[in-house]
Amino acid sequence: MTETARLPEVEVSLTVNGERVTRRIEPRMTLVDFLRLELELTGSHVGCEHGVCGACTVRVDDEIVRGCLMFAVQADGTNVVTIEGLADGGSEDDLLEAFRERNAVQCGFCTPGMVMTASDLLARYPSASRDEIREFLSGNYCRCTGYQAIVDAIEKVSQSRAGGGR
Amino acid sequence: MKPAPFEYVKPSSVDDALTVLTEGADDTQPIAGGQSLTATLNMRLSAPVRLVDLNGLEELRGITDAGGVVRIGALTRYRDLEQSDLVADHLPLIKKTLPLIAHPAIRNRGTLGGSIAFADPAAEMPACVTALNGAIEITGLNGVRKVAAGDFFKGLYETDLQSGELITAIELPKAAPGSRFAIQEFARRHGDYAMAGLVAAAQVDGATVSDIALVFFAMGGTPVAASSAAAKIAGKAIDADAIASAQAALDDDLDPFDDTQCSAAMKKHLARVLTDRVLTELAGG
Ligand SMILES: Cc1cc2nc3c(=O)[nH]c(=O)nc-3n(C[C@H](O)[C@H](O)[C@H](O)COP(=O)(O)OP(=O)(O)OC[C@H]3O[C@@H](n4cnc5c(N)ncnc54)[C@H](O)[C@@H]3O)c2cc1C
Ligand code: FES
Ligand code: FES
């Protein structure tokens, strides 16, 4: 087998948290590595790198995806929102506060992915039951196993948003 | 781990994609949703020289009413199927099955064509397409051919797809009046690949069952049609005796092997439990 020569880099141009960015990268760079290494947005975490843990969850064109199962080159032309953008946006302050209040953050490794997923859940199914919340979060691992507190926090936000109590 | 370097091309027509795939032969691999392939690249279980991204091929997307069948473009994502009225109206089995596949973030990118091409023995869609007697449309530079699902899955991760070909669509017959469908599986965590699973499709007239297909997944290298067990139910009403005789016939149909999730003995046990649950679900409408 011959060693693969260094392959040409490709240019990608996308919007990340509202800002247009352009970089030259190797096609093999995953979206989450691009965000962390090229843009220094280290809020998205890298756990398993095969889609199982959910720590790398980001939003691409309004849909949550695994940042480790998409190459940055495939995100050319898209609109990406990371946990940094979500937190700065202000619209999810109640969700972040509920996580803090309910102690749904322990070591914090899973938290960015949990919050990205929870935010998508609340937008798509505003009145989800506890079982539905659990099902929606089934693809996100919390190795500190604080699932109960995480479900509590999301349920509380869902109820207070429904009651207009934002 | 990180993937080995590769070249990336994103063609904008199926013809261009087929040309690149044919010229590149085994060094070149298509990527659809990437929800199986990217993981194998990250783990360096495979290291193609060139990736052909199918996501620019709009002609491979979409769900259309084609008379007796629903035609689903290979690049149609699980998310699109979940939101489709055609699927809700005519493909109740697919509708029922989607929530069992992985998790929302994965269903946002994973495609039906990718699942059929990958042919994971524990995946739901290959079993559903087999139970429904669906057809796989395959396109190469030499033209288009259609293969019945029952002939498409050849062995463990092995299909009828040849190098240089793409799956372009999947055709599934619309549910007929009086047809019923059921699916049950055991998975360690909601959305994980199954340890064992069973799909059933049948006509039920009054209480009498006809045209029944029982197709297991995670029970061998391919979807496994349990024809001996199905024969015990055909022409009968589903009751405790019928279920027991179907369970007793499973030994003739199934020869599972151990996998990382579950031993063969455990799979055989689960197959009996699944048979009971699926037939009970069918009987209940
Ligand atoms: C955590 C996790 C859990 C999962 N759980 C499940 C589950 O419970 N059940 C389940 O069924 N799946 C599960 N999956 C897999 C998921 O369903 C994949 O989306 C699917 O198996 C592959 O579809 P894809 O579009 O992502 O294909 P890709 O990953 O892009 O491709 C898969 C293979 O098919 C080939 N290919 C893709 N499209 C075509 C085409 N049109 N023509 C020819 N070849 C093609 C590729 O070259 C590759 O070899 C899971 C995945 C993850 C990460
Ligand atoms: S790092 Fe992407 S799912 Fe674990
Ligand atoms: S808080 Fe530690 S992994 Fe979830």
Side-chain angles (χ1 to χ4, degrees), chain A residues 7 27-28 33 49-50 52 63-64 68-69 73-74 135 138-139 141, chain B residues 1-3 6 8 35 38 42 44 53 77 79 103 108 189-190:
Chain A
L7 295 164
R28 65 165 161 165
D33 280 345
E49 299 190 312
H50 62 275
V52 176
E63 293 177 338
I64 53 167
C68 70
L69 294 187
V73 55
Q74 297 185 289
E135 186 176 324
S138 64
Y141 274 145
Chain B
M1 272 172 76
K2 310 294 176 192
F6 55 78
Y8 173 84
Q35 302 302 288
T38 310
N42 287 350
R44 299 209 180 186
D53 192 345
R77 307 170 308 160
R79 172 80 184 264
H103 317 285
N108 283 344
R189 172 178 74 151
H190 181 95

PDB file of all heavy atoms in Angstrom, chain A residues 7 27-28 33 49-50 52 63-64 68-69 73-74 135 138-139 141, chain B residues 1-3 6 8 35 38 42 44 53 77 79 103 108 189-190:
ATOM      1  N   LEU A   7      -3.604  15.440   0.404  1.00  0.00           N
ATOM      2  CA  LEU A   7      -4.596  15.810  -0.591  1.00  0.00           C
ATOM      3  C   LEU A   7      -4.897  17.303  -0.493  1.00  0.00           C
ATOM      4  O   LEU A   7      -4.722  17.906   0.543  1.00  0.00           O
ATOM      5  CB  LEU A   7      -5.864  14.980  -0.365  1.00  0.00           C
ATOM      6  CG  LEU A   7      -5.639  13.485  -0.589  1.00  0.00           C
ATOM      7  CD1 LEU A   7      -6.762  12.665   0.011  1.00  0.00           C
ATOM      8  CD2 LEU A   7      -5.509  13.194  -2.075  1.00  0.00           C
ATOM      9  N   PRO A  27     -10.807  17.709   3.522  1.00  0.00           N
ATOM     10  CA  PRO A  27     -12.178  17.170   3.494  1.00  0.00           C
ATOM     11  C   PRO A  27     -12.465  16.224   4.664  1.00  0.00           C
ATOM     12  O   PRO A  27     -13.619  16.044   5.035  1.00  0.00           O
ATOM     13  CB  PRO A  27     -12.236  16.406   2.171  1.00  0.00           C
ATOM     14  CG  PRO A  27     -11.159  16.980   1.326  1.00  0.00           C
ATOM     15  CD  PRO A  27     -10.087  17.461   2.262  1.00  0.00           C
ATOM     16  N   ARG A  28     -11.429  15.620   5.228  1.00  0.00           N
ATOM     17  CA  ARG A  28     -11.697  14.637   6.287  1.00  0.00           C
ATOM     18  C   ARG A  28     -12.003  15.287   7.636  1.00  0.00           C
ATOM     19  O   ARG A  28     -12.221  14.578   8.618  1.00  0.00           O
ATOM     20  CB  ARG A  28     -10.513  13.695   6.435  1.00  0.00           C
ATOM     21  CG  ARG A  28      -9.263  14.401   6.904  1.00  0.00           C
ATOM     22  CD  ARG A  28      -8.269  13.379   7.365  1.00  0.00           C
ATOM     23  NE  ARG A  28      -6.913  13.912   7.406  1.00  0.00           N
ATOM     24  CZ  ARG A  28      -5.945  13.304   8.047  1.00  0.00           C
ATOM     25  NH1 ARG A  28      -6.168  12.178   8.674  1.00  0.00           N
ATOM     26  NH2 ARG A  28      -4.727  13.823   8.037  1.00  0.00           N
ATOM     27  N   ASP A  33     -14.941  19.041  14.731  1.00  0.00           N
ATOM     28  CA  ASP A  33     -13.521  19.415  14.818  1.00  0.00           C
ATOM     29  C   ASP A  33     -13.287  20.791  14.196  1.00  0.00           C
ATOM     30  O   ASP A  33     -12.494  21.590  14.701  1.00  0.00           O
ATOM     31  CB  ASP A  33     -12.635  18.372  14.125  1.00  0.00           C
ATOM     32  CG  ASP A  33     -12.408  17.146  15.012  1.00  0.00           C
ATOM     33  OD1 ASP A  33     -12.686  17.230  16.226  1.00  0.00           O
ATOM     34  OD2 ASP A  33     -11.962  16.108  14.482  1.00  0.00           O
ATOM     35  N   GLU A  49     -17.107   9.992  18.858  1.00  0.00           N
ATOM     36  CA  GLU A  49     -16.812  10.102  17.424  1.00  0.00           C
ATOM     37  C   GLU A  49     -17.474   9.021  16.579  1.00  0.00           C
ATOM     38  O   GLU A  49     -17.028   8.745  15.476  1.00  0.00           O
ATOM     39  CB  GLU A  49     -15.300  10.109  17.148  1.00  0.00           C
ATOM     40  CG  GLU A  49     -14.594  11.284  17.805  1.00  0.00           C
ATOM     41  CD  GLU A  49     -13.156  11.433  17.356  1.00  0.00           C
ATOM     42  OE1 GLU A  49     -12.451  10.406  17.354  1.00  0.00           O
ATOM     43  OE2 GLU A  49     -12.766  12.551  17.013  1.00  0.00           O
ATOM     44  N   HIS A  50     -18.504   8.384  17.085  1.00  0.00           N
ATOM     45  CA  HIS A  50     -19.293   7.542  16.169  1.00  0.00           C
ATOM     46  C   HIS A  50     -20.799   7.642  16.370  1.00  0.00           C
ATOM     47  O   HIS A  50     -21.527   6.706  16.072  1.00  0.00           O
ATOM     48  CB  HIS A  50     -18.777   6.106  16.074  1.00  0.00           C
ATOM     49  CG  HIS A  50     -18.805   5.324  17.348  1.00  0.00           C
ATOM     50  ND1 HIS A  50     -17.801   5.376  18.278  1.00  0.00           N
ATOM     51  CD2 HIS A  50     -19.723   4.458  17.821  1.00  0.00           C
ATOM     52  CE1 HIS A  50     -18.099   4.583  19.288  1.00  0.00           C
ATOM     53  NE2 HIS A  50     -19.247   4.014  19.043  1.00  0.00           N
ATOM     54  N   VAL A  52     -22.794   7.995  18.964  1.00  0.00           N
ATOM     55  CA  VAL A  52     -23.522   7.333  20.038  1.00  0.00           C
ATOM     56  C   VAL A  52     -23.828   8.253  21.226  1.00  0.00           C
ATOM     57  O   VAL A  52     -24.868   8.123  21.859  1.00  0.00           O
ATOM     58  CB  VAL A  52     -22.750   6.074  20.503  1.00  0.00           C
ATOM     59  CG1 VAL A  52     -23.436   5.408  21.680  1.00  0.00           C
ATOM     60  CG2 VAL A  52     -22.637   5.085  19.348  1.00  0.00           C
ATOM     61  N   GLU A  63     -31.859  22.122  12.002  1.00  0.00           N
ATOM     62  CA  GLU A  63     -32.067  20.743  12.453  1.00  0.00           C
ATOM     63  C   GLU A  63     -30.843  20.295  13.255  1.00  0.00           C
ATOM     64  O   GLU A  63     -29.715  20.578  12.865  1.00  0.00           O
ATOM     65  CB  GLU A  63     -32.240  19.804  11.261  1.00  0.00           C
ATOM     66  CG  GLU A  63     -33.528  20.071  10.492  1.00  0.00           C
ATOM     67  CD  GLU A  63     -33.681  19.186   9.272  1.00  0.00           C
ATOM     68  OE1 GLU A  63     -32.666  18.664   8.773  1.00  0.00           O
ATOM     69  OE2 GLU A  63     -34.809  19.025   8.810  1.00  0.00           O
ATOM     70  N   ILE A  64     -31.099  19.580  14.361  1.00  0.00           N
ATOM     71  CA  ILE A  64     -29.947  19.100  15.120  1.00  0.00           C
ATOM     72  C   ILE A  64     -29.294  17.918  14.397  1.00  0.00           C
ATOM     73  O   ILE A  64     -29.979  17.084  13.807  1.00  0.00           O
ATOM     74  CB  ILE A  64     -30.308  18.709  16.577  1.00  0.00           C
ATOM     75  CG1 ILE A  64     -31.485  17.724  16.630  1.00  0.00           C
ATOM     76  CG2 ILE A  64     -30.577  19.936  17.422  1.00  0.00           C
ATOM     77  CD1 ILE A  64     -31.670  17.072  17.987  1.00  0.00           C
ATOM     78  N   CYS A  68     -20.040  14.991  14.746  1.00  0.00           N
ATOM     79  CA  CYS A  68     -18.968  14.043  14.435  1.00  0.00           C
ATOM     80  C   CYS A  68     -19.319  13.165  13.237  1.00  0.00           C
ATOM     81  O   CYS A  68     -18.476  12.406  12.768  1.00  0.00           O
ATOM     82  CB  CYS A  68     -18.650  13.161  15.644  1.00  0.00           C
ATOM     83  SG  CYS A  68     -19.955  11.980  16.046  1.00  0.00           S
ATOM     84  N   LEU A  69     -20.591  13.227  12.777  1.00  0.00           N
ATOM     85  CA  LEU A  69     -21.001  12.371  11.657  1.00  0.00           C
ATOM     86  C   LEU A  69     -21.283  13.188  10.399  1.00  0.00           C
ATOM     87  O   LEU A  69     -22.017  12.761   9.514  1.00  0.00           O
ATOM     88  CB  LEU A  69     -22.233  11.534  12.037  1.00  0.00           C
ATOM     89  CG  LEU A  69     -22.046  10.484  13.120  1.00  0.00           C
ATOM     90  CD1 LEU A  69     -23.300   9.618  13.258  1.00  0.00           C
ATOM     91  CD2 LEU A  69     -20.828   9.596  12.863  1.00  0.00           C
ATOM     92  N   VAL A  73     -16.849  20.039   5.185  1.00  0.00           N
ATOM     93  CA  VAL A  73     -17.040  20.375   3.773  1.00  0.00           C
ATOM     94  C   VAL A  73     -18.508  20.187   3.366  1.00  0.00           C
ATOM     95  O   VAL A  73     -19.026  20.884   2.498  1.00  0.00           O
ATOM     96  CB  VAL A  73     -16.076  19.550   2.885  1.00  0.00           C
ATOM     97  CG1 VAL A  73     -16.221  18.058   3.124  1.00  0.00           C
ATOM     98  CG2 VAL A  73     -16.292  19.838   1.422  1.00  0.00           C
ATOM     99  N   GLN A  74     -19.202  19.272   4.052  1.00  0.00           N
ATOM    100  CA  GLN A  74     -20.625  19.064   3.742  1.00  0.00           C
ATOM    101  C   GLN A  74     -21.496  20.185   4.301  1.00  0.00           C
ATOM    102  O   GLN A  74     -22.674  20.285   3.948  1.00  0.00           O
ATOM    103  CB  GLN A  74     -21.101  17.731   4.330  1.00  0.00           C
ATOM    104  CG  GLN A  74     -20.413  16.513   3.741  1.00  0.00           C
ATOM    105  CD  GLN A  74     -21.015  15.240   4.291  1.00  0.00           C
ATOM    106  OE1 GLN A  74     -20.836  14.904   5.457  1.00  0.00           O
ATOM    107  NE2 GLN A  74     -21.772  14.524   3.459  1.00  0.00           N
ATOM    108  N   GLU A 135     -37.504   9.829  25.548  1.00  0.00           N
ATOM    109  CA  GLU A 135     -37.301   9.210  24.244  1.00  0.00           C
ATOM    110  C   GLU A 135     -36.477  10.134  23.342  1.00  0.00           C
ATOM    111  O   GLU A 135     -35.554   9.707  22.660  1.00  0.00           O
ATOM    112  CB  GLU A 135     -38.668   8.911  23.621  1.00  0.00           C
ATOM    113  CG  GLU A 135     -38.566   8.147  22.332  1.00  0.00           C
ATOM    114  CD  GLU A 135     -39.937   7.769  21.782  1.00  0.00           C
ATOM    115  OE1 GLU A 135     -40.848   7.467  22.582  1.00  0.00           O
ATOM    116  OE2 GLU A 135     -40.084   7.790  20.544  1.00  0.00           O
ATOM    117  N   SER A 138     -32.882  10.127  24.169  1.00  0.00           N
ATOM    118  CA  SER A 138     -32.277   8.795  24.290  1.00  0.00           C
ATOM    119  C   SER A 138     -30.921   8.722  23.607  1.00  0.00           C
ATOM    120  O   SER A 138     -30.100   7.882  23.947  1.00  0.00           O
ATOM    121  CB  SER A 138     -33.214   7.732  23.707  1.00  0.00           C
ATOM    122  OG  SER A 138     -33.392   7.959  22.313  1.00  0.00           O
ATOM    123  N   GLY A 139     -30.653   9.602  22.660  1.00  0.00           N
ATOM    124  CA  GLY A 139     -29.365   9.572  21.966  1.00  0.00           C
ATOM    125  C   GLY A 139     -28.289  10.405  22.634  1.00  0.00           C
ATOM    126  O   GLY A 139     -27.230  10.611  22.057  1.00  0.00           O
ATOM    127  N   TYR A 141     -25.888  10.676  25.946  1.00  0.00           N
ATOM    128  CA  TYR A 141     -25.402  10.044  27.179  1.00  0.00           C
ATOM    129  C   TYR A 141     -24.981  11.091  28.193  1.00  0.00           C
ATOM    130  O   TYR A 141     -24.327  12.074  27.844  1.00  0.00           O
ATOM    131  CB  TYR A 141     -24.153   9.202  26.879  1.00  0.00           C
ATOM    132  CG  TYR A 141     -24.430   7.789  26.418  1.00  0.00           C
ATOM    133  CD1 TYR A 141     -23.600   7.189  25.482  1.00  0.00           C
ATOM    134  CD2 TYR A 141     -25.483   7.044  26.947  1.00  0.00           C
ATOM    135  CE1 TYR A 141     -23.823   5.881  25.051  1.00  0.00           C
ATOM    136  CE2 TYR A 141     -25.711   5.740  26.524  1.00  0.00           C
ATOM    137  CZ  TYR A 141     -24.876   5.167  25.579  1.00  0.00           C
ATOM    138  OH  TYR A 141     -25.095   3.885  25.168  1.00  0.00           O
TER     139      TYR A 141
ATOM    140  N   MET B   1     -10.852   8.494  17.056  1.00  0.00           N
ATOM    141  CA  MET B   1      -9.901   8.523  15.936  1.00  0.00           C
ATOM    142  C   MET B   1     -10.395   9.451  14.831  1.00  0.00           C
ATOM    143  O   MET B   1     -11.549   9.824  14.800  1.00  0.00           O
ATOM    144  CB  MET B   1      -9.741   7.113  15.368  1.00  0.00           C
ATOM    145  CG  MET B   1      -8.665   6.307  16.055  1.00  0.00           C
ATOM    146  SD  MET B   1      -8.697   4.610  15.475  1.00  0.00           S
ATOM    147  CE  MET B   1      -7.947   4.783  13.860  1.00  0.00           C
ATOM    148  N   LYS B   2      -9.502   9.789  13.933  1.00  0.00           N
ATOM    149  CA  LYS B   2      -9.863  10.649  12.801  1.00  0.00           C
ATOM    150  C   LYS B   2      -9.754   9.842  11.519  1.00  0.00           C
ATOM    151  O   LYS B   2      -8.922   8.944  11.409  1.00  0.00           O
ATOM    152  CB  LYS B   2      -8.925  11.852  12.723  1.00  0.00           C
ATOM    153  CG  LYS B   2      -8.760  12.612  14.034  1.00  0.00           C
ATOM    154  CD  LYS B   2     -10.043  13.291  14.479  1.00  0.00           C
ATOM    155  CE  LYS B   2      -9.852  13.946  15.839  1.00  0.00           C
ATOM    156  NZ  LYS B   2     -11.140  14.377  16.429  1.00  0.00           N
ATOM    157  N   PRO B   3     -10.580  10.181  10.516  1.00  0.00           N
ATOM    158  CA  PRO B   3     -10.535   9.448   9.254  1.00  0.00           C
ATOM    159  C   PRO B   3      -9.198   9.622   8.534  1.00  0.00           C
ATOM    160  O   PRO B   3      -8.521  10.630   8.723  1.00  0.00           O
ATOM    161  CB  PRO B   3     -11.643  10.095   8.418  1.00  0.00           C
ATOM    162  CG  PRO B   3     -12.384  11.011   9.312  1.00  0.00           C
ATOM    163  CD  PRO B   3     -11.566  11.254  10.526  1.00  0.00           C
ATOM    164  N   PHE B   6      -9.035  11.737   2.449  1.00  0.00           N
ATOM    165  CA  PHE B   6      -9.737  11.323   1.231  1.00  0.00           C
ATOM    166  C   PHE B   6     -10.010  12.559   0.398  1.00  0.00           C
ATOM    167  O   PHE B   6      -9.970  13.685   0.890  1.00  0.00           O
ATOM    168  CB  PHE B   6     -11.033  10.576   1.567  1.00  0.00           C
ATOM    169  CG  PHE B   6     -11.981  11.319   2.471  1.00  0.00           C
ATOM    170  CD1 PHE B   6     -12.786  12.345   1.981  1.00  0.00           C
ATOM    171  CD2 PHE B   6     -12.077  10.997   3.832  1.00  0.00           C
ATOM    172  CE1 PHE B   6     -13.656  13.038   2.816  1.00  0.00           C
ATOM    173  CE2 PHE B   6     -12.946  11.689   4.675  1.00  0.00           C
ATOM    174  CZ  PHE B   6     -13.733  12.712   4.167  1.00  0.00           C
ATOM    175  N   TYR B   8     -12.741  14.615  -1.935  1.00  0.00           N
ATOM    176  CA  TYR B   8     -14.190  14.794  -1.805  1.00  0.00           C
ATOM    177  C   TYR B   8     -14.763  15.358  -3.091  1.00  0.00           C
ATOM    178  O   TYR B   8     -14.274  16.366  -3.587  1.00  0.00           O
ATOM    179  CB  TYR B   8     -14.449  15.765  -0.653  1.00  0.00           C
ATOM    180  CG  TYR B   8     -15.887  16.192  -0.479  1.00  0.00           C
ATOM    181  CD1 TYR B   8     -16.784  15.410   0.237  1.00  0.00           C
ATOM    182  CD2 TYR B   8     -16.339  17.394  -1.021  1.00  0.00           C
ATOM    183  CE1 TYR B   8     -18.103  15.821   0.407  1.00  0.00           C
ATOM    184  CE2 TYR B   8     -17.662  17.810  -0.845  1.00  0.00           C
ATOM    185  CZ  TYR B   8     -18.536  17.020  -0.126  1.00  0.00           C
ATOM    186  OH  TYR B   8     -19.826  17.417   0.041  1.00  0.00           O
ATOM    187  N   GLN B  35     -24.542   8.514   8.345  1.00  0.00           N
ATOM    188  CA  GLN B  35     -24.771   8.148   9.746  1.00  0.00           C
ATOM    189  C   GLN B  35     -24.251   6.745  10.084  1.00  0.00           C
ATOM    190  O   GLN B  35     -24.160   6.378  11.251  1.00  0.00           O
ATOM    191  CB  GLN B  35     -26.255   8.287  10.112  1.00  0.00           C
ATOM    192  CG  GLN B  35     -26.781   9.686   9.883  1.00  0.00           C
ATOM    193  CD  GLN B  35     -26.009  10.745  10.661  1.00  0.00           C
ATOM    194  OE1 GLN B  35     -26.138  10.825  11.887  1.00  0.00           O
ATOM    195  NE2 GLN B  35     -25.189  11.537   9.996  1.00  0.00           N
ATOM    196  N   THR B  38     -19.738   7.596   8.143  1.00  0.00           N
ATOM    197  CA  THR B  38     -18.793   8.496   8.813  1.00  0.00           C
ATOM    198  C   THR B  38     -18.214   7.838  10.062  1.00  0.00           C
ATOM    199  O   THR B  38     -17.026   7.978  10.359  1.00  0.00           O
ATOM    200  CB  THR B  38     -19.462   9.841   9.152  1.00  0.00           C
ATOM    201  OG1 THR B  38     -20.112  10.313   7.980  1.00  0.00           O
ATOM    202  CG2 THR B  38     -18.433  10.879   9.590  1.00  0.00           C
ATOM    203  N   ASN B  42     -14.366   7.360  10.713  1.00  0.00           N
ATOM    204  CA  ASN B  42     -13.715   7.876  11.931  1.00  0.00           C
ATOM    205  C   ASN B  42     -12.932   6.780  12.640  1.00  0.00           C
ATOM    206  O   ASN B  42     -11.890   7.032  13.227  1.00  0.00           O
ATOM    207  CB  ASN B  42     -14.769   8.443  12.896  1.00  0.00           C
ATOM    208  CG  ASN B  42     -15.345   9.771  12.433  1.00  0.00           C
ATOM    209  OD1 ASN B  42     -14.847  10.380  11.493  1.00  0.00           O
ATOM    210  ND2 ASN B  42     -16.401  10.225  13.082  1.00  0.00           N
ATOM    211  N   ARG B  44     -11.626   4.297  11.138  1.00  0.00           N
ATOM    212  CA  ARG B  44     -10.732   3.735  10.115  1.00  0.00           C
ATOM    213  C   ARG B  44     -11.019   2.266   9.811  1.00  0.00           C
ATOM    214  O   ARG B  44     -10.125   1.481   9.497  1.00  0.00           O
ATOM    215  CB  ARG B  44      -9.256   3.940  10.473  1.00  0.00           C
ATOM    216  CG  ARG B  44      -8.920   5.424  10.568  1.00  0.00           C
ATOM    217  CD  ARG B  44      -7.498   5.726  10.224  1.00  0.00           C
ATOM    218  NE  ARG B  44      -7.262   7.177  10.341  1.00  0.00           N
ATOM    219  CZ  ARG B  44      -6.148   7.770   9.991  1.00  0.00           C
ATOM    220  NH1 ARG B  44      -5.144   7.058   9.504  1.00  0.00           N
ATOM    221  NH2 ARG B  44      -6.013   9.062  10.129  1.00  0.00           N
ATOM    222  N   ASP B  53     -20.161  12.530  -2.516  1.00  0.00           N
ATOM    223  CA  ASP B  53     -21.293  12.983  -1.711  1.00  0.00           C
ATOM    224  C   ASP B  53     -22.546  13.040  -2.583  1.00  0.00           C
ATOM    225  O   ASP B  53     -22.598  13.762  -3.581  1.00  0.00           O
ATOM    226  CB  ASP B  53     -20.986  14.372  -1.122  1.00  0.00           C
ATOM    227  CG  ASP B  53     -21.983  14.775  -0.042  1.00  0.00           C
ATOM    228  OD1 ASP B  53     -23.047  14.136   0.061  1.00  0.00           O
ATOM    229  OD2 ASP B  53     -21.683  15.733   0.699  1.00  0.00           O
ATOM    230  N   ARG B  77     -34.630  11.197   3.618  1.00  0.00           N
ATOM    231  CA  ARG B  77     -34.185  10.971   4.994  1.00  0.00           C
ATOM    232  C   ARG B  77     -35.321  10.400   5.847  1.00  0.00           C
ATOM    233  O   ARG B  77     -36.490  10.594   5.548  1.00  0.00           O
ATOM    234  CB  ARG B  77     -33.721  12.296   5.607  1.00  0.00           C
ATOM    235  CG  ARG B  77     -32.681  13.024   4.782  1.00  0.00           C
ATOM    236  CD  ARG B  77     -32.457  14.425   5.320  1.00  0.00           C
ATOM    237  NE  ARG B  77     -33.721  15.147   5.464  1.00  0.00           N
ATOM    238  CZ  ARG B  77     -33.886  16.219   6.253  1.00  0.00           C
ATOM    239  NH1 ARG B  77     -32.874  16.692   6.954  1.00  0.00           N
ATOM    240  NH2 ARG B  77     -35.054  16.810   6.331  1.00  0.00           N
ATOM    241  N   ARG B  79     -36.276  11.594   8.506  1.00  0.00           N
ATOM    242  CA  ARG B  79     -37.048  12.783   8.910  1.00  0.00           C
ATOM    243  C   ARG B  79     -38.130  13.105   7.879  1.00  0.00           C
ATOM    244  O   ARG B  79     -39.255  13.453   8.241  1.00  0.00           O
ATOM    245  CB  ARG B  79     -36.078  13.964   9.061  1.00  0.00           C
ATOM    246  CG  ARG B  79     -36.720  15.330   9.288  1.00  0.00           C
ATOM    247  CD  ARG B  79     -37.137  15.497  10.734  1.00  0.00           C
ATOM    248  NE  ARG B  79     -37.829  16.738  11.000  1.00  0.00           N
ATOM    249  CZ  ARG B  79     -37.266  17.841  11.466  1.00  0.00           C
ATOM    250  NH1 ARG B  79     -35.964  17.877  11.685  1.00  0.00           N
ATOM    251  NH2 ARG B  79     -37.986  18.905  11.725  1.00  0.00           N
ATOM    252  N   HIS B 103     -31.988   8.058  16.769  1.00  0.00           N
ATOM    253  CA  HIS B 103     -32.436   9.195  17.568  1.00  0.00           C
ATOM    254  C   HIS B 103     -32.703  10.366  16.625  1.00  0.00           C
ATOM    255  O   HIS B 103     -32.221  10.364  15.502  1.00  0.00           O
ATOM    256  CB  HIS B 103     -31.353   9.553  18.587  1.00  0.00           C
ATOM    257  CG  HIS B 103     -30.754   8.349  19.232  1.00  0.00           C
ATOM    258  ND1 HIS B 103     -31.416   7.622  20.199  1.00  0.00           N
ATOM    259  CD2 HIS B 103     -29.594   7.691  19.007  1.00  0.00           C
ATOM    260  CE1 HIS B 103     -30.671   6.592  20.557  1.00  0.00           C
ATOM    261  NE2 HIS B 103     -29.555   6.596  19.848  1.00  0.00           N
ATOM    262  N   ASN B 108     -32.417  12.934  11.270  1.00  0.00           N
ATOM    263  CA  ASN B 108     -32.363  14.150  10.448  1.00  0.00           C
ATOM    264  C   ASN B 108     -31.428  14.006   9.258  1.00  0.00           C
ATOM    265  O   ASN B 108     -31.515  14.772   8.310  1.00  0.00           O
ATOM    266  CB  ASN B 108     -31.899  15.352  11.288  1.00  0.00           C
ATOM    267  CG  ASN B 108     -33.006  15.896  12.179  1.00  0.00           C
ATOM    268  OD1 ASN B 108     -34.172  15.589  11.974  1.00  0.00           O
ATOM    269  ND2 ASN B 108     -32.635  16.701  13.166  1.00  0.00           N
ATOM    270  N   ARG B 189     -31.152   0.265  24.574  1.00  0.00           N
ATOM    271  CA  ARG B 189     -31.533   1.643  24.872  1.00  0.00           C
ATOM    272  C   ARG B 189     -32.466   2.042  23.751  1.00  0.00           C
ATOM    273  O   ARG B 189     -32.268   1.607  22.612  1.00  0.00           O
ATOM    274  CB  ARG B 189     -30.253   2.490  24.869  1.00  0.00           C
ATOM    275  CG  ARG B 189     -30.441   3.973  24.967  1.00  0.00           C
ATOM    276  CD  ARG B 189     -29.090   4.709  25.004  1.00  0.00           C
ATOM    277  NE  ARG B 189     -28.434   4.732  23.704  1.00  0.00           N
ATOM    278  CZ  ARG B 189     -27.611   5.701  23.294  1.00  0.00           C
ATOM    279  NH1 ARG B 189     -27.328   6.710  24.088  1.00  0.00           N
ATOM    280  NH2 ARG B 189     -27.041   5.649  22.110  1.00  0.00           N
ATOM    281  N   HIS B 190     -33.468   2.883  23.999  1.00  0.00           N
ATOM    282  CA  HIS B 190     -34.353   3.309  22.926  1.00  0.00           C
ATOM    283  C   HIS B 190     -33.527   3.855  21.764  1.00  0.00           C
ATOM    284  O   HIS B 190     -32.682   4.721  21.972  1.00  0.00           O
ATOM    285  CB  HIS B 190     -35.338   4.382  23.403  1.00  0.00           C
ATOM    286  CG  HIS B 190     -36.254   4.807  22.306  1.00  0.00           C
ATOM    287  ND1 HIS B 190     -37.500   4.269  22.122  1.00  0.00           N
ATOM    288  CD2 HIS B 190     -36.069   5.656  21.267  1.00  0.00           C
ATOM    289  CE1 HIS B 190     -38.048   4.788  21.040  1.00  0.00           C
ATOM    290  NE2 HIS B 190     -37.202   5.637  20.495  1.00  0.00           N
TER     291      HIS B 190
END
